[in-house]
Amino acid sequence: MSTASPQAPTVAVETPFQRLRSQFLENRLATFGLILLALIIVPSVLAPWVAPQNPFDIGKLDIFESQLPPGSVSESLGITYWLGTDGQGRDVLSAILYGMRTSLIVAFVSVTGSLLIGATIGLTAAYFGGKVDALLMRIVDLQLSFPAILLALILLSVLGQGIDKVIIALIVVQWAYFARTARGTALVERNREYVQAARCLALSPQRIIFRHMLPNCMPPLIVIATIDLAHAIAAEATLSYLGIGVPVTQPSLGMLIANGFEFMLSGQYWISFFPGIALALIIVAINLVGDHLRDILNPRSAQ
Amino acid sequence: MRLFTGTLATSVAALMLGAMPLHAADLMIGIKSEPSSLDPQFHVLATNMQVAFTMFEPLVMMDAFAVPQPALAESWENVTPTEWVFNLRKDVTFSDGSPFTAEDVLFSFDRVAKVPNSPSAYTLFTRQIESVEAIDDYTVKMTTFKPYPLLAADITSVVIMSHLAAAGDAPEGKTTTELNRGDGLIGTGPFTFVSWQKGADFVVERNPNYWGDAPEWDTVTMRPMTNAAARAAALLAGDIAVMEDPPTANLSDFENNPDLTIAKAPAGRVVYIALDQQDRESPGISGTDTNPLMDARVREALFISIDRYGIVDRVMGGLAEPAGDLVPAHFLGSSPDHATAPTVDVERAKALLTEAGYPDGFSIVLGSPNGRYVNDVRIAQTIASMWSRVGVTTEVEASAPPVFFQNRDEMKYSAYLGAWGNGSGENLTTLNALINTYDREQGKGTANGGRYSNPEVDALLAEAASTMDDAARGAILSQADSMVLNDFGIIPVHYEVPVWALRNGLTMEGRADQYTLPQYIVSAE
Amino acid sequence: MLLFIINRLIQAAGAVVVMSMLVFIGLYLIGDPTAMLVSPEANDLERAAVRQAFGLDQPIWMQYLTFVGNAARGDFGRSFLTGQPAMQLILERMPATIEMVVVAIGFAVLVGVPLGMLAGLRPKAASSKAVMTVSILGFSLPTFWIGLMLIMFFSVYLGLLPSSGRGSTVSVGGLSLSVLTPDGWRHLILPALTLGLAKAALIIRVTRAATREVLPMDYIKFARAKGVRPRRVVGVHLLRNILIPIVTVTGLEFGQAVAFAVVTETVFAWPGMGKLLIDSIIILDRPVVVAYLVLMVFFLIMLNLVVDILYMAIDPTAREKVRD
């Protein structure tokens, strides 16, 4: 949930990308976040090629190499477990890379889906106004008043486990934020000259909404989407922690943390701790970037 | 420790009374699930039984090895194959001081069938009983519909309630709601009810009128802590003195921790893999048109490719015993030939698969519940990895327990991980449920999800069911059991060993039925 | 105004109907609750008897209509597991949840408002930047992760605080409360802190944003020019004007916190209604799940309504702004 949504996007619209970039890079913390993010995303995306082991391939796991401390050398595979192994014999480093990949896929797909659905609904509401607007916004209000975690919990217990199910659940709980923001922005856009002109030309509503209004409404939506990525990752981790997210043979970060916690008490901290750090890092990095992006794009809080 | 010393006030009070032990003592137990009710006849659930056994007692009580022992009945006799006579103790009073007589027994057995809304009724233990009669105040006769050797074992789960205290307007006397409030919870057990907050502490205190040896504890608190890690943390922090089911991952550290001790019970519940043995295209199998599990050689290959010792050591943290049989060797009717678990033999498994016509193996889905049995998913993953190694590429499908049970009952798994607890101390109940040919009307093979079927075995089990002589029955059961195992009809993996962790200075006798009973927890002097 | 309230109530009813239908059908599709409840030793006939006793042998629409009929009379059915009225089970657990949430929100406000004002007044100061960075952490890290870390540090490593459960309670007018006993407080601190940290981070950010919006306003400049002491400017003029968004957000967050208690209660085995929900979902105890959701939808919509009415009474134009 965002607290200060970006307001009129006029500055951003007129600002060339270069200016945005230089403004962004002025903030060292945000730049650090961006670099951190790249350092996380690249190896995660490339996990199947860079990870020492495929932790999802159950046939390759050796129970006799479970719970090894960081730095142990595998007898059967000849690789070094730099971050140790978990209770099933998974290389924790590989599991983190693959798990992060799952987290990122879930987050990107669900946020993109929410963005598309939310923006369409928000723009439609703004363009048509009147009863359509009232009805759609009532639904949005209702959705926003209901806690995301509860809704996702119910949906997943109904849908069952699986990455696709998690994505569906997250789209359902997130689209309303985008709809609301898109509508707010579009209400301003609707009265601008270019929309009026397009209407005079009798262009179809679809064309006006998607070809003309949408591009101008994107900046605030992108800010929300960035922050929302972190929320989606956290939500997926929480759902997997509660045992209703991804399948247990393909653990995501949240599940790795949950599974490793019982080992933590007996001093085998690495199984839960490293995935926890990875989760924290990725969320913090996204927020550093998103937070600063918001400051830049929001003229009212800009100095 | 704060836990073992009472407040100054109670200590002083104890000194003044003189009769009480010199140290007032409170015991805090972290239990793994919460009771669903305090009504001892509402819901057949281990936690409910455990809670009931602090306040109530049955006529016959299982000892730690699941052998029936005298409790409120000091002796019993099987006068005819269908008639049992129980001689009640004459020195017993309820915690409210009223005497215990045959009338209470009649009331309690009569109430079982009258409790409404039960999600799992206690009639499970009384369905073989045709009538219960009082011969005199201290003698009760039970008649079964047909010869039924397990009656004494069954009634260990039926506790005796006070017919005076539990009387009420409803057909069942005091209702479940009333009993949950503590109204009418009068038994003969070593403790009496103090309070119960749903989802939180259940508290009892010593029964001053107890007929047996007075327990050590003034009060006992059972606190449900469903999360094993949280339970372990609470024990390490000293918030609880006893915990059920410490996480297997922590066990070796607990054993090395000078502040803690470990208590184990005799091995009990068997964890097994059931294999689909119906002549059909099995749903979870690919790479072949027929069901390869119909071939005993394939089943044997799967049987011997599992490294049971490895699973016990690495997954169960030593808290299990490798199983070659469906019940541990000390059970009546176990198979002496299968008392030790086979060692893993990858080469032979591969050879058997080749011999059976599957040199390249096949693919199979192994179903497993997630969070129903100890380390269930981890065991399933480990077995999957072991099977994959001999060429049977295995994928684990782990589901939440309700989903798992649904799939199992609809026979959507070609192989699934199951577990079977045996409370009777003999193999008859296990074989009847897991091995007997499935028969809905007769209630046979109710948990036979692989649909193993062997008429010879069925005939032996029918014979055993009406053989009243223990030794003779044991021999028949052994024979049936051996036949199934030689046929590789089911794959036992290990027996769970129930375990508890206690703060140092406490000892307890671990029970095979896994009940944590505070009367058996004592501080080592 | 009255129309607005009526409108909201109709919405609430609609949401309750949709939610209950979804859950009804969903839980029906997942599986058979009796598979989890009935002893494995029971035979199929005994199983069928239990199903019949629970009404599960009826077609699903019939079960739903029966539920609606009973619910209209205030009867939400009996828990499959305990046989007790579902709504009663939830209400029994409610004080534990509300207590934890109140302490958590109290903590969040006490910590969040001063830090947020500090960050808003001196946005360039290192301390402010530190506060904002840490608030990002508190705001975005998953609750369960924070909870686990707190357990590791305070319970396992330092051995200072209990890791789970509620501790001893005192009954006041039928409500059992932990806040009245020292032992209760020891148990309450970690769960409340876990829940409160995220809320504190949010309040810091709201306070900071509000402070920075109010600071350039004329009346602040005027007060300063008039020579009012800085402490008074901040403590009276500023605080009074940023209070509205803070109160609003706090109010709305209260509802969110009650919902998030599901996670916190699971981590700390806190015997509140959130834990009850999770446990009930696992065993498919449908009456409890449905009753919980009906209660929550109603509670949240009422909470929103109250906040909206309060807010419109104070500042009719700025409603949209804060809701985001």
Side-chain angles (χ1 to χ4, degrees), chain B residues 157-277:
Chain B
S157 295
V158 181
V159 297
I160 305 304
M161 306 169 75
S162 159
H163 80 281
L164 295 173
D169 299 333
E172 72 271 26
K174 284 280 191 281
T175 63
T176 301
T177 309
E178 285 166 329
L179 291 165
N180 282 343
R181 284 200 299 262
D183 184 5
L185 276 183
I186 300 296
T188 62
F191 296 96
T192 58
F193 176 76
V194 175
S195 67
W196 183 41
Q197 206 189 333
K198 286 198 193 81
D201 295 357
F202 166 75
V203 186
V204 289
E205 63 186 2
R206 184 192 290 116
N207 172 7
N209 295 324
Y210 188 53
W211 59 274
D213 294 335
E216 186 175 336
W217 312 106
D218 291 335
T219 69
V220 175
T221 305
M222 293 189 183
R223 173 173 296 170
M225 303 168 122
T226 46
N227 181 316
R231 217 157 55 229
L235 182 74
L236 287 171
D239 297 325
I240 55 175
V242 179
M243 80 174 282
E244 295 180 342
D245 281 9
T248 51
N250 300 355
L251 206 72
S252 55
D253 299 276
F254 278 18
E255 277 170 329
N256 296 331
N257 187 328
D259 293 334
L260 305 178
T261 55
I262 298 291
K264 291 181 188 174
R269 188 159 75 167
V270 64
V271 171
Y272 62 89
I273 305 280
L275 300 174
D276 180 18
Q277 287 161 71

Side-chain angles (χ1 to χ4, degrees), chain B residues 4-207:
Chain B
F4 307 130
T5 55
T7 59
L8 185 64
T10 47
S11 308
V12 170
L15 280 172
M16 287 164 71
L17 284 169
M20 306 265 280
L22 284 179
H23 62 289
D26 304 322
L27 181 69
M28 180 78 95
I29 303 172
I31 57 178
K32 62 177 180 275
S33 59
E34 60 180 285
S36 65
S37 174
L38 296 190
D39 182 340
Q41 301 183 334
F42 175 67
H43 181 192
V44 180
L45 186 75
T47 318
N48 289 5
M49 308 280 292
Q50 165 173 328
V51 162
F53 281 136
T54 62
M55 303 175 287
F56 296 95
E57 291 171 309
L59 293 180
V60 181
M61 180 95 181
M62 287 293 187
D63 67 9
F65 286 86
V67 177
Q69 301 291 349
L72 291 178
E74 55 188 4
S75 66
W76 59 92
E77 195 184 356
N78 211 185
V79 286
T80 72
T82 56
E83 287 177 308
W84 299 63
V85 172
F86 294 88
N87 303 306
L88 310 186
R89 294 190 72 97
K90 299 190 175 71
D91 57 346
V92 177
T93 56
F94 284 97
S95 59
D96 62 357
S98 60
F100 158 74
T101 66
E103 209 167 335
D104 301 301
V105 178
L106 263 54
F107 171 82
S108 301
F109 276 83
D110 181 51
R111 185 175 181 273
V112 167
K114 293 181 176 169
V115 180
N117 295 321
S118 167
S120 183
Y122 277 75
T123 47
L124 191 65
F125 305 111
T126 58
R127 63 186 173 199
Q128 305 286 347
I129 300 174
E130 188 180 2
S131 67
V132 183
E133 301 154 71
I135 292 173
D136 60 43
D137 269 0
Y138 295 101
T139 315
V140 172
K141 186 176 89 173
M142 295 190 195
T143 311
T144 57
F145 289 106
K146 54 186 186 193
Y148 184 64
L150 294 181
L151 183 73
D154 273 6
I155 64 167
T156 57
S157 295
V158 181
V159 297
I160 305 304
M161 306 169 75
S162 159
H163 80 281
L164 295 173
D169 299 333
E172 72 271 26
K174 284 280 191 281
T175 63
T176 301
T177 309
E178 285 166 329
L179 291 165
N180 282 343
R181 284 200 299 262
D183 184 5
L185 276 183
I186 300 296
T188 62
F191 296 96
T192 58
F193 176 76
V194 175
S195 67
W196 183 41
Q197 206 189 333
K198 286 198 193 81
D201 295 357
F202 166 75
V203 186
V204 289
E205 63 186 2
R206 184 192 290 116
N207 172 7

Side-chain angles (χ1 to χ4, degrees), chain A residues 1-7 29 138 140-142 144-151 153-160 177 180-181 183 227 230-231 233-235 237-239 241-242 244 253-255 257-258 261 264-265 272-273 275-277 279-281 283-284 287-288 291 294-295 300-303, chain C residues 4 7-8 11-12 14-15 19 22-23 25-27 29-30 123-124 129 132-133 136-137 139-145 148-149 151-152 156 202 205-206 208-209 212-213 249 252-253 255-256 259-260 262-263 266-267 277-278 281-282 284 289 292-293 296-297 300-301 304 319-324:
Chain A
M1 182 152 147
S2 56
T3 52
S5 100
Q7 301 297 314
L29 206 53
R138 288 300 84 186
V140 166
D141 272 353
L142 203 61
L144 288 181
S145 68
F146 202 74
I149 189 76
L150 268 191
L151 194 57
L153 197 69
I154 297 300
L155 276 173
L156 276 178
S157 57
V158 169
L159 293 172
Y177 297 110
R180 173 178 279 277
T181 309
R183 173 181 173 269
I227 307 267
H231 290 169
I233 290 174
T238 303
L239 292 168
Y241 171 79
L242 293 174
I244 53 168
L253 289 179
M255 188 171 277
I257 295 169
F261 191 66
M264 207 168 196
L265 295 170
S272 191
F273 183 72
I277 294 299
L279 180 68
L281 280 181
I283 289 175
V284 169
N287 273 291
L288 287 176
D291 202 50
R294 171 159 57 192
D295 279 353
R300 277 210 293 169
S301 56
Q303 286 286 308
Chain C
F4 174 74
N7 194 4
R8 279 303 180 86
Q11 268 180 47
M19 189 56 80
L22 177 79
V23 173
I25 297 168
L27 293 187
L29 291 177
I30 299 176
K124 297 280 183 203
K129 285 190 171 158
M132 291 316 290
T133 310
I136 291 181
L137 283 176
F139 180 63
S140 50
L141 289 174
T143 316
F144 79 91
W145 192 86
L148 292 181
M149 289 301 125
I151 290 180
M152 281 314 301
V156 180
L202 193 61
R205 296 166 81 85
V206 171
R208 170 177 170 267
R212 290 181 67 185
E213 256 178 53
V249 168
L252 289 172
E253 280 310 304
Q256 296 284 333
F260 257 103
V262 171
V263 180
T266 308
V267 174
L277 175 73
I278 294 274
I281 285 179
I282 290 171
L284 303 181
V289 177
Y292 177 91
L293 289 169
M296 277 306 278
V297 170
L300 288 168
I301 287 177
N304 275 301
R319 181 168 157 249
E320 280 299 304
K321 203 165 62 192
V322 176
R323 285 295 304 276
D324 278 334

